[in-house]
Every structure is written in C-alpha cells, then in structure tokens.
C-alpha cells in the first residue's frame, strides 16, 4: 500500500513559478510510476505529467515546455516544477502512483489504472 502526500500549492501571479512535492511511503519508491493530474472547476480531470521508474517522462501538450516532473529516489519524493504559469493552470493538483512501473495508459496520462491518489494541493494563478 502506498500513501501520497502533496505540498507546495498556493497562489501565484501569472508568469510565476511553483514547485509541488509528493512524498510517497508504504512501498519501494523506486518501483513506482509517479505522476500528476489536475482538475479545475467545471473541467474534466486531466493528466499533467508522468515519470517512469527509469525517469522517462511524458507531458500534456498544454504544459510541455513549462512544467518539469522529476523524482528523487533517495528522498521518496516526486516533484513538479511549474514555470510560466497561466490562469488556465488553476486547479487542484493530485499526485498519483502505480506499483510495478507505468502502464501504457498511465504513461499516456490516462487515469484508468492509477492505483493511488494523494489528497491534492490547490494551485491558483491570477492574471
């Protein structure tokens, strides 16, 4: 079983930056596929970024070039560095994980076989 705890959300002006963190416990961290999803009011939940056990990454088209996902296996932590934030980025951000590595669907930023979800951290971007 895996527990995920996000932090780092907050309010920022458009063009600014935030760094989200996700601390995982309860399993072998290096064997987890990790990612970030988000959901804004009135919008569908969408995958933002994913990182595999081998540190391969994939990003949603809307954030590619602005966001960077990373992982530190020594600290059992995943990160999402968000730069050039836009008002459209305002959402609740969730850390997700799957044991045994990324499935094809999760690597493609689909949520169907996500195993674990964090409680979320709110990101608000004003313009």
């Amino acid at each position: 079983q895996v527990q995920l705890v996000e932090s780092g959300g907050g309010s920022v002006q458009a063009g600014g930056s935030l760094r989200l963190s996700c601390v995982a416990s309860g399993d072998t961290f290096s064997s987890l596929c990790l990612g970030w999803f988000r959901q804004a009011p009135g919008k569908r939940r969408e995958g933002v970024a994913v990182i595999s056990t081998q540190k391969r990454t994939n990003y949603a088209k809307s954030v590619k070039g602005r966001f960077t996902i990373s992982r530190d296996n020594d600290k059992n932590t995943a990160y999402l560095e968000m730069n050039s934030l836009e008002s459209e980025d305002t959402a609740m951000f969730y850390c997700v994980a799957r044991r045994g590595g990324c499935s094809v669907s999760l690597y493609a930023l689909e949520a169907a076989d996500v195993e674990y979800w964090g409680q979320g951290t709110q990101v608000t971007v004003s313009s």
Side-chain angles (χ1 to χ4, degrees), residues 39-55:
Q39 187 166 27
K43 296 184 178 180
R44 298 175 181 177
R45 181 179 60 194
E46 64 175 348
V48 176
V50 65
I51 185 166
S52 74
T53 57
Q54 301 301 311
K55 297 187 179 180

Side-chain angles (χ1 to χ4, degrees), residues 27-82:
D27 207 347
T28 302
F29 184 83
S30 61
S31 297
L32 296 175
C33 176
L34 298 158
W36 293 90
F37 283 68
R38 68 184 180 186
Q39 187 166 27
K43 296 184 178 180
R44 298 175 181 177
R45 181 179 60 194
E46 64 175 348
V48 176
V50 65
I51 185 166
S52 74
T53 57
Q54 301 301 311
K55 297 187 179 180
R56 297 181 179 89
T57 60
N58 191 34
Y59 299 90
K61 183 179 179 180
S62 60
V63 308
K64 194 169 186 177
R66 300 188 297 120
F67 291 10
T68 302
I69 187 170
S70 61
R71 63 191 295 162
D72 186 338
N73 291 347
D74 293 331
K75 296 182 177 180
N76 289 358
T77 302
Y79 303 94
L80 185 68
E81 297 180 5
M82 305 185 292

